[in-house]
Amino acid sequence: MPNFLLELGTEELPASFVASSVRQWERLVPATLAEQSLTNESINVYATPRRLAVLIEGLPIKQSDREEEVKGPPASSAFKDGKPTKAAEGFAKKQGVEIDALSVRATDKGDFVFVLKKIPGRLSADILTELVPQWINKLEGKRFMRWADGDLKFPRPIRSIVALLDDTVLPIALVSGSDTVKSDRISQGHRVLHPQPVSIPQAEDYVECLRAACVEVDRTQRKNQIKAQVEAAATKQGGYADITEDLLEEVTDLVEWPNAVVGKFDEEFLILPPEVITTIIVTNQRYFPILKSPDFPELLPYFITISNGDPAASAIIAAGNERVVRARLADGEFFYKADLAKPLEDYLPKLEKVTFQEDLGTVRAKVDRLCKIASLITNQLQITAEEKAYIERAALLCKADLVTQMVYELPEMQGIMGQKYALACGEAKAVATAIFEHYLPRGAGDNLPQTLTGQIVGIADKLDTLVSIFGLGMLPTGSSDPFALRRAANAIINIIWAAQLPINLHQLLAEVVAEFTVIRPETSPELLSQLYEFFLQRIRTLLQEEKNVDYDLVNAVLGENDPEYTERALKDLLDTLERALFLQEIRNDKTLDRIYETVNRSTRLAAQGDLDKVELEPKNAVKPELFQKSSEQAFYDAVVQLVPQTLLSKQTRNYQQLVESLTDIAPAVSNFFDGPESVLVMDSDPEIKRNRLNLLGLLRNHARVLADFGAIVNRF
């Protein structure tokens, strides 16, 4: 069975596109082959900075023949007195068959003419020739470019095409204005180690031919080689390689024939914070640092670079890299010493010259706002005077490092250098830690702040950004969120949940908006409601996507168009999380099944009454003297016994106790509806009807302490 090879030879591609293109072709190529009924034994996508390739093995020579039934005109118009009409003849001619091949079959819309056509399979070579341009044109990425004078777009110019079906070149051409690239069997080896062209005899020889030309096209193999070489080089220096996945992925797509080269820097630079050295080595240079121990960030004065050049020139390559690193570290040392020359607080006046946002003033103004917000948060919490002092100090200093020379040069060091400089000038450890932690989490999967001071200052900072940007009317839309407001809201919620902070977010938002309105009186009156809705959306998303709570259970906790429930959710985020997780738990263990029908049936009927949704006390809502059946009295007595259990569950958030009480009341409710003493709820007497609806409303209200059962979908 034939094998097919396609290779696009290009100028050096951006590293991010290399990995992305592999993933895209791994989805696209199998899907398009399946659409054409082209089976295969395997599909492998290869990529380096100078090429993108796919090798498909075990293809058929051609598609299988197939049959297709085609519906024609109604039988009444195709045949008259048993003879074919022009309609039948035209249909037969169009389908390329004789009249005898037509058949009549009954359908829902009457008798119609049909023909069963045999469609011969097309040659795989012809289909592949058509598919290749689709595979190229459907690739997506950032910053595509045009070259020559044509309209063809790709991240970098395409210089060659290899298209082989076994040993036969398929005729494929890419035209970009006056520039035309035609397919052949000639690929390119490594620029330095094998600059001569590489002729590919057969498709299946591709990987080995390129390896012989010092190009490892298998991305996974190349990545494993890099990891092994870096680890071996670090061990040789008596240390441990600090290999982050992001750096390993990027370096894999920067080289075709990896060669680890060890460089050294002067030990005097180790006085710099390890984060500074690591940022220079990793972020700026894409080198791997070497640690003394795998568990601590203490560095050895070495680094490892992955060269794409001649291994024989490793010493020259190392020397060049060392000169670059030495210069960058010397700059870092100068900035570090200069910054330490004065205490962190002395940098605050410079924040008045840094703009936070054009309509919101300077970073110094932002610091003043977040200090007020931090104070509002501490007013809600029972904390010591010492903790409050730490929070006030950290809030004041948390942005001061933005105007230091080190952070100006290396913006990635914001917060990190603030912590270092705070400790160096004698600030309390709690204050210094909070300066770093208030930026957390910096992205998906990052740590949350662990100290109370860091948590409160972090919430204050993010809340100020949210309220301020919302206040300008710059709400996130669709995928556009330039100020990362969704991430900020998610962080606030996750910090509160993880740290078990009893913060009333509903009240806090109202207070912060009130403060903002004083500064900007023209603020929209809808600002507060917009923020409430935004946070509810984020809570909903986090519960479903991160906590794995079913969507209907989330609705049951947050309410749908239910102001009382939505307000409750924002007032007590901890209770909201607990109720959602508890509902999922009792759904999983089937406990929910035992109370669902009882509560849901009562909830649906109670909606036709007018009882307040928060009333729990039977004597305030039901008149026993109007009872006509013993089932009503039994129901009433059961609700009376339910009151203390519900109040205790509400106070202690022990919802298991409430569920057990609702389970106990189920027989009385069932007898009320369907037993020998069952009643007609919608009685003709309005007083009796209202009394019975109130009885059901009481049960609904007790259940609402846990959830709105009307929003829960029956799954059994």
Side-chain angles (χ1 to χ4, degrees):
M1 299 179 76
N3 303 317
F4 175 66
L5 168 68
L6 169 68
E7 183 203 63
L8 300 181
T10 68
E11 300 293 342
E12 270 75 1
L13 295 165
S16 60
F17 179 75
V18 177
S20 170
S21 62
V22 171
R23 293 191 294 270
Q24 290 182 65
W25 268 12
E26 285 176 342
R27 294 190 300 269
L28 178 61
V29 173
T32 52
L33 291 176
E35 290 173 0
Q36 297 294 329
S37 301
L38 287 183
T39 59
N40 59 83
E41 293 176 0
S42 66
I43 299 175
N44 290 294
V45 181
Y46 302 110
T48 77
R50 296 179 63 212
R51 71 203 74 233
L52 177 60
V54 59
L55 177 61
I56 307 169
E57 297 182 297
L59 284 164
I61 295 175
K62 69 181 190 66
Q63 292 172 320
S64 299
D65 297 339
R66 59 191 175 90
E67 292 183 338
E68 179 180 341
E69 188 175 58
V70 182
K71 182 181 178 182
S76 59
S77 62
F79 294 95
K80 296 293 185 183
D81 300 326
K83 295 182 179 181
T85 65
K86 289 186 178 181
E89 292 171 353
F91 176 64
K93 183 178 180 180
K94 182 179 180 181
Q95 301 303 322
V97 299
E98 299 295 329
I99 292 292
D100 294 344
L102 303 182
S103 61
V104 176
R105 199 171 75 240
T107 71
D108 294 341
K109 296 182 179 180
D111 293 345
F112 279 79
V113 172
F114 288 85
V115 63
L116 187 64
K117 293 177 60 178
K118 290 187 177 180
I119 303 175
R122 298 175 61 204
L123 292 173
S124 295
D126 294 338
I127 297 171
L128 290 167
T129 303
E130 295 173 1
L131 288 179
V132 167
Q134 295 180 33
W135 295 344
I136 298 170
N137 292 328
K138 287 186 177 181
L139 284 171
E140 298 178 350
K142 298 179 180 179
R143 294 183 291 275
F144 273 38
M145 62 178 290
R146 290 193 295 265
W147 60 98
D149 55 353
D151 295 325
L152 182 63
K153 293 182 180 181
F154 210 68
R156 293 294 183 271
I158 297 173
R159 299 306 190 195
S160 65
I161 303 173
V162 176
L164 293 176
L165 189 62
D166 281 342
D167 59 353
T168 303
V169 176
L170 296 188
I172 295 171
L174 291 179
V175 180
S176 181
S178 59
D179 186 13
T180 300
V181 182
K182 295 182 179 180
S183 59
D184 56 25
R185 64 176 71 250
I186 305 300
S187 181
Q188 300 297 319
H190 192 280
R191 279 196 190 276
V192 176
L193 301 175
H194 194 289
Q196 304 84 5
V198 178
S199 179
I200 313 295
Q202 296 196 80
E204 64 183 20
D205 299 330
Y206 177 66
V207 175
E208 292 306 319
C209 283
L210 268 295
R211 281 179 182 154
C214 299
V215 176
E216 177 54 73
V217 295
D218 188 324
R219 189 175 180 278
T220 301
Q221 182 68 19
R222 199 165 66 248
K223 179 179 176 180
N224 292 338
Q225 288 176 5
I226 292 171
K227 188 171 186 292
Q229 288 185 28
V230 170
E231 289 175 343
T235 300
K236 190 173 181 180
Q237 301 303 321
Y240 299 85
D242 183 11
I243 303 176
T244 62
E245 185 62 23
D246 287 346
L247 179 59
L248 181 59
E249 284 283 323
E250 183 176 7
V251 171
T252 298
D253 296 322
L254 291 174
V255 298
E256 293 194 316
W257 195 251
N259 174 48
V261 177
V262 177
K264 190 177 189 303
F265 58 86
D266 296 338
E267 291 191 23
E268 67 183 58
F269 292 125
L270 292 175
I271 65 166
L272 288 169
E275 294 89 347
V276 173
I277 300 174
T278 301
T279 298
I280 290 172
I281 290 175
V282 175
T283 305
N284 296 127
Q285 301 304 127
R286 275 70 173 177
Y287 302 160
F288 295 91
I290 301 179
L291 305 176
K292 283 187 178 181
S293 164
D295 302 318
F296 299 99
E298 191 173 358
L299 295 168
L300 289 175
Y302 300 97
F303 59 88
I304 303 167
T305 182
I306 298 299
S307 167
N308 194 42
D310 187 349
S314 292
I316 298 174
I317 294 169
N321 293 336
E322 288 171 354
R323 282 196 297 273
V324 174
V325 170
R326 187 181 302 114
R328 296 301 302 269
L329 291 177
D331 287 344
E333 182 182 29
F334 173 80
F335 298 144
Y336 184 59
K337 291 179 178 179
D339 289 341
L340 287 174
K342 57 183 179 180
L344 192 58
E345 187 173 8
D346 286 4
Y347 288 97
L348 289 175
K350 288 188 176 182
L351 293 177
E352 296 175 0
K353 298 180 180 180
V354 180
T355 301
F356 168 60
Q357 200 279 338
E358 184 178 1
D359 295 318
L360 295 171
T362 66
V363 174
R364 185 68 181 87
K366 177 178 174 62
V367 168
D368 290 339
R369 293 195 302 270
L370 76 86
C371 285
K372 290 181 181 179
I373 297 172
S375 178
L376 293 173
I377 297 172
T378 57
N379 290 340
Q380 290 192 17
L381 304 176
Q382 294 181 349
I383 60 175
T384 65
E386 183 181 38
E387 289 172 328
K388 187 172 183 179
Y390 289 154
I391 292 166
E392 291 174 352
R393 188 66 176 168
L396 178 65
L397 298 177
C398 67
K399 303 296 182 184
D401 68 337
L402 294 179
V403 288
T404 61
Q405 294 188 60
M406 182 71 80
V407 175
Y408 180 82
E409 182 70 17
L410 300 174
E412 307 93 331
M413 298 302 293
Q414 65 178 14
I416 296 172
M417 295 315 301
Q419 180 182 26
K420 306 292 183 184
Y421 294 152
L423 289 172
C425 67
E427 297 290 343
K429 183 178 180 181
V431 172
T433 302
I435 292 173
F436 164 70
E437 286 189 332
H438 93 282
Y439 284 108
L440 302 179
R442 292 160 294 192
D446 196 13
N447 296 326
L448 296 173
Q450 299 300 304
T451 66
L452 178 64
T453 306
Q455 290 157 358
I456 293 177
V457 176
I459 291 173
D461 180 33
K462 294 168 180 62
L463 205 51
D464 171 69
T465 299
L466 276 160
V467 173
S468 299
I469 301 300
F470 263 70
L472 298 179
M474 302 168 67
L475 282 64
T477 56
S479 60
S480 176
D481 187 8
F483 291 94
L485 301 182
R486 293 187 183 93
R487 188 173 71 191
N490 287 351
I492 290 171
I493 296 164
N494 277 323
I495 290 170
I496 290 173
W497 280 348
Q500 292 286 292
L501 297 175
I503 292 175
N504 183 335
L505 188 58
H506 191 273
Q507 174 187 326
L508 182 60
L509 284 169
E511 292 172 339
V512 177
V513 167
E515 292 278 354
F516 184 79
T517 305
V518 171
I519 300 171
R520 295 184 65 90
E522 71 277 15
T523 300
S524 167
E526 297 179 356
L527 174 58
L528 185 57
S529 60
Q530 289 172 341
L531 286 164
Y532 284 158
E533 180 58 31
F534 185 70
F535 269 97
L536 285 168
Q537 290 174 0
R538 304 324 305 158
I539 295 170
R540 188 180 303 277
T541 299
L542 291 174
L543 287 175
Q544 289 181 215
E545 296 182 1
E546 293 190 6
K547 304 300 183 182
N548 300 313
V549 179
D550 295 337
Y551 79 94
D552 59 320
L553 301 183
V554 174
N555 291 339
V557 169
L558 298 183
E560 295 180 289
N561 301 316
D562 188 331
E564 186 244 322
Y565 251 45
T566 54
E567 182 176 334
R568 178 183 175 188
L570 292 173
K571 281 184 174 180
D572 194 341
L573 290 178
L574 302 182
D575 178 65
T576 300
L577 175 62
E578 284 188 29
R579 288 188 292 126
L581 295 177
F582 179 71
L583 278 175
Q584 189 64 56
E585 179 185 337
I586 63 174
R587 165 169 278 172
N588 294 343
D589 68 15
K590 308 299 182 184
T591 302
L592 183 60
D593 298 355
R594 297 198 291 272
I595 63 172
Y596 175 81
E597 188 58 40
T598 298
V599 176
N600 190 263
R601 188 175 181 184
S602 301
T603 299
R604 290 198 307 270
L605 281 168
Q608 301 184 48
D610 57 4
L611 182 67
D612 189 296
K613 290 183 178 180
V614 298
E615 181 61 66
L616 298 176
E617 184 56 57
K619 65 182 181 181
N620 296 335
V622 177
K623 299 176 181 179
E625 63 269 19
L626 295 178
F627 292 160
Q628 295 181 330
K629 297 286 184 72
S630 60
S631 61
E632 292 177 275
Q633 185 66 51
F635 192 166
Y636 179 83
D637 292 341
V639 174
V640 170
Q641 295 177 14
L642 186 59
V643 173
Q645 302 297 328
T646 301
L647 293 176
L648 184 60
S649 293
K650 191 174 183 179
Q651 180 182 356
T652 63
R653 298 212 290 252
N654 181 359
Y655 296 112
Q656 180 64 45
Q657 189 173 12
L658 176 58
V659 168
E660 290 173 358
S661 298
L662 291 173
T663 304
D664 292 341
I665 203 175
V669 180
S670 178
N671 189 47
F672 176 83
F673 283 125
D674 304 313
E677 290 289 308
S678 63
V679 301
L680 177 64
V681 176
M682 310 304 284
D683 195 271
S684 58
D685 185 325
E687 284 296 312
I688 294 175
K689 171 185 171 182
R690 186 171 187 273
N691 209 47
R692 290 171 179 170
L693 286 173
N694 283 357
L695 194 55
L696 295 171
L698 286 169
L699 178 57
R700 173 202 62 195
N701 293 354
H702 281 269
R704 274 176 63 84
V705 170
L706 173 59
D708 176 7
F709 277 73
I712 299 177
V713 176
N714 189 340
R715 297 193 175 189
F716 47 86

